[in-house]
Amino acid sequence: MSEINFCPFCDAPQHKILYCKGDVFFCKECSRFFKFSEVKMKCPKCDSEQITKSDYPSPTGEVAFQCSKCRKAISASEFLKANKVK
């Protein structure tokens, strides 16, 4: 697991973050619990999890992601929609 250097809510430094259990943390500064875990995303074409950021933007200028397996490139909004991320 990576270390957490600051609270994502109040920017309190690392020494104010308390590790609880699993992937749950508590900020002593703003008194909030939060989770720190990886989100698995899959290619909408081949279901591979080998996704990278494309070196080139989509035709609309938006950030694009590319599957390392099937090489499909897709805009960030379409990719997140296909993975049902709101």
Side-chain angles (χ1 to χ4, degrees):
M1 178 179 293
S2 298
E3 68 179 38
I4 295 182
N5 296 317
F6 60 90
C7 173
F9 299 104
C10 69
D11 291 332
Q14 183 178 21
H15 69 278
K16 297 275 186 168
I17 306 297
L18 175 68
Y19 172 72
C20 293
K21 189 175 182 180
D23 61 351
V24 177
F25 294 86
F26 179 75
C27 176
K28 295 183 244 180
E29 187 73 26
C30 67
S31 298
R32 290 187 186 179
F33 289 94
F34 60 95
K35 286 189 170 190
F36 178 71
S37 60
E38 182 179 9
V39 177
K40 299 287 185 181
M41 299 283 195
K42 293 185 176 185
C43 172
K45 182 177 178 183
C46 71
D47 284 338
S48 172
E49 292 181 353
Q50 301 172 4
I51 307 298
T52 59
K53 182 184 168 291
S54 176
D55 292 334
Y56 304 100
S58 70
T60 61
E62 186 179 6
V63 171
F65 294 106
Q66 186 170 21
C67 176
S68 298
K69 187 175 177 184
C70 72
R71 309 302 294 165
K72 177 172 178 62
I74 186 169
S75 69
S77 59
E78 290 177 27
F79 180 77
L80 295 174
K81 185 177 177 182
N83 279 280
K84 296 178 177 50
V85 176
K86 295 179 182 180

